[in-house]
Amino acid sequence: MSLRGFWRAIMYWPVRWLTRFEIILDDTAQQVVGDNNVVYVMRSTSTTDMLVAQRALKQAGLPDPTDELIINGQQLARVMFLDQTDHGSARKAIADFEKLIAAHQKDSQLNIKVVPIGLFWGRKPGQEPRQGHTMVSDIDNPGHWRKFWLVMFSGRHILLRASLPVQLREMAEQRGSTQDLAHKLARVARVHFVRLRHAIAGPKMTERAVVIQDLLDTPALQQAIADEARSKKITEQQARKVAEKYLHEIAASYSDTLVRLLDRFMSWCWSRIYNGIHVEGGERIRELAETGHEIVYVPCHRSHMDYLLLSYVIYKEGLVPPHIAAGVNLDFFPAGPLFRRGGAFFIRRSFRGNKLYSTVFREYLNRLFQKGYPVEYFTEGGRSRTGRLLAPKTGMIAMTVQGMLRGQQRPMSLVPVYLGYEHVMEVGTYLKELKGKSKEKESVWKVIGSLRHLRNFGQGYVSFGEPINLGEALEKLQPNWRESITTGAEEPERPKWLTPTVNLLADEIMCRINNSAALNSVNLTALAILSSEQHALTREELVSQLNLYTQILGEVPYSKDAYVPEEDGEALWQLAKKHDKFIVESDGIGELIRLDGTNAIAMTYYRNNIMHMVIVPALLAAFALGHKRFSGEQASQLLAQLHPLLRSELFISHSQADMKLWVSALLEQYVQCGLLSEPEPGEFMVAKRDSQAYSQLVLLARSAGETAQRYAIVLELLQKAQPISRSELEQNSVQLAERLSAVHGVNAPEFFDKKVLSALIGTLKSEGYFTMSDSGEMVADHRVGELSDAVDLLLEPAVLQTIRQSVQQLVSAAR
């Protein structure tokens, strides 16, 4: 037995008792599970590291790193150590690489995979050296004494990362000598380990007080302080104190120790709050981080749980939690100090007109970007009260782009994130606010009150959408953007192209968030029951409708990133039933599932989470019912006409040109489901009225009822009441929507929301559906009447009659 083997045998049981690990394999690394032609690259020669790696890799199904590797009768090293503090081991690693490459050059069938293994004890980022000091120790090779304390204090918190394997067959086929190729492989591995540590632990930390003083001395803030002193007629010292006060209000105070404690607490807490957390797209963000990208997470905002849930998931994906832009309303004791140590930095709701605060905040945000901290902010600004995405606030996106103009060296990627829940604790509060109650101030007592009613929230969903490489996006949107880059420390001027470019970026972010949406048992059940008359379905009808939704959205997916559950309708109903959101009644015939008035309004929140995914299938169903027999071309034309309205309201990512293909695929699926028949190629007919398929088609169509009714109201008023001012059109639209809500039982709070109706009118204006007269009144284009007639056919006769009568009454009263 070698000396190294002797020490491994001696230390095996103590290390086993004192250590606990998590292992994360990239998808590509999982492909080599069961393959014996695998070698490993590690940074540390530590015996404890090897013992932990041995257990973890065995558990993952990968070869034991201590096993021999015999290739064509030759024994080769299974592990190469790139220890930068031990030049002998580094030279040996290069020599081992040479042997492996030479073996491939001799045997054309050989293909060994090199898997980099990163082992992180406690995931500490380390500290920036203080002035006058230098860092002399390698954080991955801390020495025997420091390693002992790491085992004692961080041994229960180890992360092992097995990264993307390198195919040595590809390396061997490249030009160059075996020595050159071995050196190249070693350099690539060293860069990988540096980036891996940065991705997992983050950049080295700087004391908060030092950060604040450094920022106060930047040229941009010095200039802003001088301007503040002149404008407010105070001394520069007084203005500096104001700027320092702002920085104390804003700056985070990240603590990896607190994050580690929160990880343990949250792991315990989530197991009681949630049945599980479903994560999609984790591989994407790991790849970005490990290739050196500055990551900016831009999630939707449903709940205060978002902050904790997203940071927890990112941490469990093996990455450092982001610094989070949180509203200053959350900076109350004791939550505020905890949030700061968890990475939160605080931002005021508005700082319009406060130039000094604006500059201070931009400088702080830019420092986060320059130092390489991942950042998170909510583009909606606040939590959605209706379940739909809110119109994006573009201020943070603009500051992110301005960060690029400060000479950001690392590539920067915006990562849209969809957050979904089967239960949102604030829904009751949202409904009160929508009815006019003032938003309550955040406080510790509200937190305690929420915890007092803690319950199981079902499943949580976190989906990381398709990233936006900011540099590449700017190249497409503004090819000359690099001309605005400033290489100095001063703040760049705001270019003229910034606002329109940021607006396009914001719209794309919202579309990609929606692309990653997740269907679940609650939002699908809510969709079905809210689409029924009297908000009630038999169990058989509900299960059948749930099967229809998953079949249509599974076969014709909204996007490649959308999540559709694999469970059948019965299983989905059993999951939804556990949440006590639906009333289940039994009689002599069977079970009836319904929603009462209050619950029905609350459930619109969950339905609205996925409305963008079902709106086109639902409108197509309504079109089919309105025409009975029709051509696919007719349906495509109407959906293409409605596309700008749908994109503006629901952030649908499909282009207008894509609508024909989308509609064609849906029609084919409807025929397979029996909802339609195809008597002739390209011609479609609805199922017979007395069939189950017809009832399913009606329920599907009613999902789009409120959207179609809003369009009909505005178009009918614009057509019949012209010329009309915008304020009158908005006011009359709200009145008519309220009338429709009362007569036909529309319970959705957003149905008569003035902001939604105003945005619809704005889209019609931008699409040229009306012109403005010299007196400032709207005059409808001929297309308004055509579109109004087409939309009318999507409505049920009783609803259409109410709209027309009400519009006639409003017009008569005005005259």
Side-chain angles (χ1 to χ4, degrees):
M1 180 185 290
S2 67
L3 181 62
R4 187 182 294 273
F6 172 75
W7 277 112
R8 279 204 299 269
I10 292 292
M11 297 176 63
Y12 178 82
W13 285 109
V15 171
R16 187 179 180 89
W17 289 329
L18 291 170
T19 59
R20 185 170 58 192
F21 58 83
E22 292 181 71
I23 181 168
I24 297 178
L25 273 65
D26 285 342
D27 291 346
T28 46
Q30 291 177 355
Q31 294 173 11
V32 300
V33 170
D35 188 343
N36 192 56
N37 284 344
V38 173
V39 298
Y40 305 106
V41 181
M42 296 178 66
R43 282 289 309 276
S44 172
T45 57
S46 163
T47 301
T48 52
D49 279 15
M50 178 58 74
L51 288 169
V52 173
Q54 183 180 14
R55 286 164 53 209
L57 294 169
K58 275 186 178 180
Q59 179 179 302
L62 291 168
D64 187 325
T66 62
D67 285 351
E68 292 183 344
L69 177 65
I70 307 296
I71 302 295
N72 297 329
Q74 181 183 10
Q75 182 174 339
L76 300 174
R78 175 75 74 174
V79 183
M80 275 71 77
F81 299 99
L82 290 175
D83 186 348
Q84 291 184 333
T85 63
D86 184 347
H87 297 295
S89 68
R91 285 194 295 269
K92 184 178 183 306
I94 292 174
D96 290 336
F97 283 144
E98 287 185 55
K99 292 177 183 178
L100 286 168
I101 293 170
H104 282 75
Q105 292 173 339
K106 292 177 183 177
D107 184 352
S108 61
Q109 301 302 311
L110 184 63
N111 186 17
I112 292 175
K113 294 86 178 174
V114 179
V115 180
I117 299 296
L119 205 67
F120 301 89
W121 297 72
R123 297 163 68 168
K124 286 182 175 292
Q127 285 286 129
E128 286 278 9
R130 295 183 180 181
Q131 193 169 5
H133 295 77
T134 58
M135 299 288 282
V136 295
S137 62
D138 183 346
I139 198 167
D140 290 309
N141 295 279
H144 297 300
W145 184 241
R146 287 188 62 197
K147 192 66 171 214
F148 170 78
W149 292 114
L150 275 177
V151 173
M152 298 302 294
F153 290 103
S154 299
R156 311 292 286 175
H157 197 76
I158 302 170
L159 174 69
L160 185 141
R161 283 283 285 108
S163 303
L164 174 70
V166 176
Q167 308 282 341
L168 277 187
R169 166 53 49 200
E170 296 177 6
M171 289 287 296
E173 291 174 353
Q174 295 179 16
R175 292 184 179 180
S177 67
T178 55
Q179 187 177 42
D180 290 339
L181 291 173
H183 278 280
K184 178 181 178 181
L185 187 57
R187 285 196 303 272
V188 169
R190 288 194 185 99
V191 170
H192 169 78
F193 281 123
V194 170
R195 287 177 172 174
L196 185 62
R197 167 157 287 283
H198 189 281
I200 289 173
K204 292 180 179 178
M205 302 301 298
T206 307
E207 292 180 7
R208 186 169 183 263
V210 174
V211 171
I212 290 172
Q213 292 306 313
D214 286 349
L215 285 170
L216 288 170
D217 292 333
T218 59
L221 259 184
Q222 288 285 324
Q223 183 61 52
I225 288 168
D227 292 343
E228 179 80 358
R230 281 194 301 271
S231 64
K232 297 291 177 65
K233 297 181 179 178
I234 57 177
T235 65
E236 288 198 13
Q237 187 62 32
Q238 289 173 316
R240 183 184 174 92
K241 285 184 178 180
V242 174
E244 186 174 359
K245 178 185 174 185
Y246 289 157
L247 280 168
H248 278 287
E249 177 186 304
I250 293 166
S253 182
Y254 183 82
S255 165
D256 63 281
T257 302
L258 177 68
V259 169
R260 186 170 64 183
L261 292 173
L262 284 175
D263 169 48
R264 293 178 180 176
F265 172 74
M266 287 301 161
S267 295
W268 171 86
C269 188
W270 293 139
S271 66
R272 284 153 179 79
I273 294 178
Y274 294 107
N275 291 334
I277 301 170
H278 183 91
V279 180
E280 294 278 339
E283 182 82 8
R284 278 176 165 162
I285 57 171
R286 289 199 298 271
E287 183 181 350
L288 284 175
E290 291 170 23
T291 52
H293 281 241
E294 169 66 20
I295 300 179
V296 180
Y297 299 96
V298 278
C300 61
H301 202 3
R302 310 286 193 210
S303 165
H304 282 319
M305 279 289 185
D306 298 345
Y307 300 100
L308 298 173
L309 181 62
L310 183 53
S311 290
Y312 175 79
V313 167
I314 291 169
Y315 192 74
K316 286 300 183 185
E317 288 295 319
L319 299 174
V320 62
H323 278 53
I324 308 166
V328 74
N329 60 304
L330 294 178
D331 189 14
F332 59 87
F333 183 83
L338 285 173
F339 287 158
R340 282 190 198 279
R341 285 168 176 76
F345 59 98
F346 293 97
I347 180 173
R348 296 181 179 182
R349 288 288 180 189
S350 172
F351 37 90
R352 187 184 299 273
N354 189 338
K355 186 178 178 182
L356 180 59
Y357 181 91
S358 177
T359 305
V360 166
F361 187 84
R362 280 200 301 272
E363 285 298 298
Y364 179 77
L365 186 64
N366 184 62
R367 186 185 188 280
L368 295 180
F369 293 150
Q370 295 292 339
K371 290 291 184 179
Y373 295 100
V375 172
E376 172 192 330
Y377 53 76
F378 298 96
T379 52
E380 296 168 282
R383 292 166 293 162
S384 169
R385 266 59 178 173
T386 66
R388 294 176 172 213
L389 290 185
L390 302 176
K393 302 289 193 298
T394 57
M396 290 294 291
I397 302 173
M399 284 187 271
T400 302
V401 175
Q402 287 175 301
M404 289 283 287
L405 302 182
R406 299 285 290 271
Q408 170 74 18
Q409 296 300 312
R410 302 167 69 222
M412 183 178 285
S413 287
L414 304 171
V415 179
V417 187
Y418 174 87
L419 299 171
Y421 305 89
E422 289 184 322
H423 177 77
V424 174
M425 70 172 74
E426 299 101 326
V427 163
T429 305
Y430 294 163
L431 294 179
K432 292 176 184 177
E433 291 177 13
L434 288 168
K435 290 178 180 177
K437 184 178 178 181
S438 299
K439 183 178 181 294
E440 295 181 22
K441 186 178 180 181
E442 308 295 345
S443 70
V444 66
W445 305 113
K446 285 190 66 179
V447 174
I448 293 171
S450 298
L451 293 175
R452 185 165 53 88
H453 299 292
L454 201 62
R455 51 170 289 180
N456 188 284
F457 293 166
Q459 192 90 0
Y461 296 84
V462 179
S463 298
F464 298 97
E466 185 180 357
I468 300 173
N469 185 304
L470 192 52
E472 293 176 2
L474 290 176
E475 290 288 351
K476 293 178 182 177
L477 297 172
Q478 189 63 38
N480 299 324
W481 72 275
R482 295 184 186 278
E483 296 175 3
S484 303
I485 292 177
T486 57
T487 55
E490 72 278 2
E491 188 176 11
E493 293 185 10
R494 187 183 179 93
K496 293 180 180 178
W497 53 261
L498 184 65
T499 297
T501 301
V502 164
N503 289 340
L504 291 172
L505 279 172
D507 187 66
E508 183 63 21
I509 288 168
M510 306 312 281
C511 288
R512 294 196 187 191
I513 289 174
N514 268 347
N515 279 351
S516 303
L519 301 173
N520 63 53
S521 64
V522 171
N523 56 38
L524 285 171
T525 303
L527 177 69
I529 296 180
L530 290 172
S531 301
S532 64
E533 288 188 31
Q534 307 304 319
H535 298 153
L537 288 174
T538 67
R539 177 172 173 163
E540 293 74 20
E541 288 172 332
L542 174 60
V543 169
S544 176
Q545 199 67 16
L546 293 176
N547 280 326
L548 180 70
Y549 292 150
T550 54
Q551 184 176 350
I552 291 173
L553 293 169
E555 295 297 325
V556 188
Y558 175 78
S559 75
K560 61 183 176 62
D561 295 323
Y563 172 72
V564 180
E566 296 179 357
E567 294 88 350
D568 63 13
E570 179 61 35
L572 288 170
W573 162 237
Q574 291 302 325
L575 289 170
K577 186 178 179 180
K578 293 178 182 178
H579 295 286
D580 296 326
K581 297 179 182 295
F582 307 96
I583 299 169
V584 181
E585 297 175 340
S586 298
D587 54 24
I589 303 174
E591 283 189 350
L592 190 69
I593 299 142
R594 65 180 181 87
L595 289 165
D596 61 19
T598 304
N599 272 353
I601 296 172
M603 294 309 294
T604 62
Y605 184 93
Y606 301 97
R607 177 202 62 184
N608 288 347
N609 288 173
I610 58 168
M611 183 52 66
H612 65 283
M613 298 175 71
V614 299
I615 189 64
V616 169
L619 286 170
L620 182 57
F623 180 89
L625 290 168
H627 290 77
K628 308 304 180 190
R629 182 165 181 156
F630 60 95
S631 69
E633 187 64 31
Q634 288 175 297
S636 298
Q637 286 177 357
L638 177 60
L639 268 300
Q641 274 185 288
L642 294 176
H643 174 269
L645 309 183
L646 297 173
R647 181 178 176 88
S648 174
E649 181 179 344
L650 295 170
F651 298 104
I652 289 177
S653 59
H654 301 72
S655 69
Q656 199 165 18
D658 291 338
M659 295 303 286
K660 185 173 182 178
L661 182 61
W662 192 4
V663 168
S664 177
L666 285 169
L667 288 172
E668 183 180 334
Q669 186 60 36
Y670 288 2
V671 171
Q672 290 182 13
C673 294
L675 305 179
L676 302 176
S677 60
E678 192 174 9
E680 297 178 19
E683 292 288 325
F684 301 91
M685 284 182 61
V686 300
K688 293 181 179 179
R689 287 184 65 89
D690 59 352
S691 67
Q692 181 189 8
Y694 184 87
S695 299
Q696 289 183 301
L697 190 65
V698 170
L699 274 179
L700 179 58
R702 283 180 180 159
S703 303
E706 293 160 19
T707 300
Q709 289 165 29
R710 261 196 312 275
Y711 295 172
I713 287 169
V714 173
L715 291 168
E716 190 77 12
L717 280 168
L718 192 55
Q719 182 184 13
K720 298 292 176 62
Q722 65 171 318
I724 184 173
S725 68
R726 178 159 183 165
S727 61
E728 282 183 293
L729 180 57
E730 289 179 358
Q731 182 180 352
N732 290 344
S733 297
V734 171
Q735 287 179 347
L736 189 47
E738 289 173 342
R739 164 72 70 87
L740 213 62
S741 177
V743 173
H744 295 282
V746 181
N747 291 320
E750 76 279 358
F751 180 65
F752 43 81
D753 186 345
K754 186 177 180 179
K755 291 181 181 178
V756 175
L757 290 162
S758 178
L760 171 58
I761 294 166
T763 305
L764 289 170
K765 179 182 179 182
S766 64
E767 293 296 314
Y769 276 92
F770 58 81
T771 56
M772 304 300 293
S773 67
D774 293 339
S775 59
E777 292 182 313
M778 301 176 182
V779 179
D781 184 87
H782 68 90
R783 294 181 301 152
V784 170
E786 296 169 3
L787 184 57
S788 179
D789 291 343
V791 169
D792 286 349
L793 288 173
L794 304 177
L795 306 181
E796 295 181 1
V799 173
L800 178 59
Q801 186 68 14
T802 301
I803 292 174
R804 286 179 172 173
Q805 287 179 351
S806 301
V807 168
Q808 187 59 46
Q809 290 171 359
L810 283 170
V811 171
S812 298
R815 291 174 180 169

